[in-house]
Amino acid sequence: MNASQIIVSGYTREPYGGGPGVGRFSLEPDGTVGRQLAVGGAVNPSFIAPGGGALLAVEELPEGRIAALDPETLELRGRVASGGADPCHLALIGPDVWAANYSSGTASVTPLAAVLGSTTPEPPELLSHPGTGPVADRQGGSHAHQVTATPWGTVLVSDLGADRVDEYSAASRVRLGSAELPPGTGPRHVAIAGEFLLVAGELDGHLHVLRRADVDPGGADPHDGAGRFWKWLLRVPLSAGPDGGTAGSAPSHIQLSGDGTRLYAAVRGADTVVVLDVSGLDAGRPPAVLRRVPCGGRWPRHFALGNNRLYVANQRSNTVAVFALDGDGLPGAEPVQTVGFGSPTCIVLA
C-alpha cells in the first residue's frame, strides 16, 4: 500500500494517557511522517477505522461510544452509544458498525447511518456468549477484544476472557460456533490466512494456529460459515526470555503481509516487533521467526504497514516509531524516525 497520510489515535484520559485524541499527518515521499494536518476531539479513541466516508472511532469509556469524524478535518460528525463498557475495537461490516465492548464482554451492531446521524439512533443489537478462563485477574468473565469480518460472510469476535473466538453470521447474527483456544490463552487479535486462523494470545504470549474443517459440508451453506469448525493445531512463542519462556510478554496486534507469507506481531512487555514466515502452513510447517527487533519505544499497542515502512504506536513512550522494511519485508534494527504523539493506540494509513 502506498499512502500519503497517516492518522493516529490515542488515549485522552488518565490512567491510560493524556494525548490529543486523533491526529492526521502528511507522509513524505520516503514514507516518513511529515507535518500535522488536523487534530480531532474524540475521547479515549482506542481504535479507529475508515468507513462510509468517515473515520470511525470507539471511545473507550465506562459508557462506551462510537464516534464518526470527518476524515479531513477530524471534526465530530456523529456519536452513538456502543451498548457496553470500554469498547476497544470496531469494523464497518456491510451496512453496520460492529464494535467489541471489552469490559461488558459483548459485541454490538449499529447501522452506519445511525452513527453518522442520518437516522434516529436506536439501542445497538448486542451479541454475547458469556464465559470465563483460568487467569483469575483477567478472565473472570467475557472480554470482547476484536471484531473481524471473514471472506465467507461471518464475523469473528475474540473473547479474551473465555479463551474463544466466537463466529457469528454477519446477516442473521446467529452464533455458528467458536474457535476454542487452550485455557489461559487470552485471544486478542486475529488474522485470517486462507483456511487458517492465526490468534495472538495476550495472556500466554503465543501465536496460535487453527484450521477450518468440514463437519457436514453436504447440507451447509458455505456463504454462512455453517458446517465448519476450527481445529486448534499448534502454538509458537512470540517472545522468548533467557529461559525460553514468555512471562511478561503481552502480544497485541497481528497482521499479514500483502502476499500472506509474513505475519507481523507487536509484543508489549518485551517491547518488540516480530516477523514470522507463515508461507508453509498448507504444507504443515509451523510459523518460524524471521526477525525480532525492539519496537522503538514502550508498549507497542498497534502498527500499520505501507510504503515499505512499518509504523508502530508505542503507547507508553508517547511515540510512533517508523521502520524501513527491506526487500524481504523485514524491519531494520532501529527506527528511521520517531514522532511524538500522546498515548498512541491505533494507526491508519490513507
Side-chain angles (χ1 to χ4, degrees):
M1 174 184 179
N2 290 318
S4 60
Q5 298 180 15
I6 181 172
I7 305 174
V8 185
S9 68
Y11 285 117
T12 62
R13 293 184 178 178
E14 298 298 341
Y16 301 111
V22 184
R24 184 168 64 88
F25 301 82
S26 65
L27 287 176
E28 301 295 342
D30 64 357
T32 56
V33 179
R35 65 186 182 91
Q36 181 172 294
L37 303 174
V39 63
V43 181
N44 268 10
S46 59
F47 196 85
I48 55 176
L55 181 71
L56 305 173
V58 285
E59 296 186 311
E60 191 172 323
L61 301 164
E63 295 182 355
R65 302 183 303 209
I66 300 170
L69 308 179
D70 184 281
E72 295 296 320
T73 65
L74 301 183
E75 293 178 353
L76 185 67
R77 290 178 53 184
R79 177 182 276 145
V80 296
S82 71
D86 302 312
C88 57
H89 193 270
L90 88 172
L92 179 62
I93 301 174
D96 301 309
V97 179
W98 290 61
N101 292 307
Y102 178 82
S103 294
S104 302
T106 61
S108 68
V109 185
T110 305
L112 173 64
V115 180
L116 296 175
S118 55
T119 62
T120 302
E122 296 181 2
E125 182 177 358
L126 297 179
L127 310 176
S128 67
H129 185 59
T132 60
V135 182
D137 60 337
R138 297 294 308 277
Q139 295 186 308
S142 285
H143 293 302
H145 219 308
Q146 188 190 40
V147 289
T148 305
T150 72
W152 48 87
T154 66
V155 180
L156 303 177
V157 179
S158 305
D159 189 337
L160 183 146
D163 291 322
R164 297 192 321 263
V165 179
D166 294 322
E167 186 164 10
Y168 293 88
S169 165
S172 69
R173 322 283 202 253
V174 171
R175 189 176 70 90
L176 304 171
S178 299
E180 303 283 350
L181 281 301
T185 295
R188 182 183 173 99
H189 279 199
V190 308
I192 300 169
E195 291 290 308
F196 295 90
L197 180 65
L198 308 175
V199 182
E202 177 174 332
L203 302 183
D204 75 348
H206 284 72
L207 176 72
H208 294 254
V209 181
L210 301 91
R211 188 169 194 169
R212 295 180 82 213
D214 289 327
V215 176
D216 180 15
D221 178 0
H223 299 291
D224 202 31
R228 303 271 187 154
F229 76 100
W230 293 101
K231 179 181 180 181
W232 185 90
L233 300 178
L234 56 90
R235 67 178 189 174
V236 296
L238 287 174
S239 178
D243 60 353
T246 59
S249 67
S252 55
H253 184 56
I254 59 174
Q255 183 175 328
L256 286 165
S257 60
D259 63 4
T261 64
R262 304 281 190 266
L263 182 81
Y264 298 79
V267 185
R268 298 163 300 169
D271 290 341
T272 56
V273 175
V274 184
V275 186
L276 302 98
D277 179 1
V278 293
S279 62
L281 294 177
D282 280 320
R285 295 197 306 271
V289 174
L290 297 174
R291 185 161 296 176
R292 179 182 287 115
V293 300
C295 67
R298 291 187 297 115
W299 212 249
R301 184 183 176 95
H302 191 258
F303 60 83
L305 294 164
N307 300 347
N308 292 319
R309 296 288 183 267
L310 171 70
Y311 304 86
V312 184
N314 290 311
Q315 179 187 337
R316 294 185 179 175
S317 57
N318 300 304
T319 56
V320 173
V322 183
F323 290 83
L325 301 179
D326 65 17
D328 294 320
L330 304 178
E334 296 182 357
V336 297
Q337 183 188 29
T338 301
V339 180
F341 191 89
S343 311
T345 56
C346 185
I347 295 176
V348 168
L349 299 179

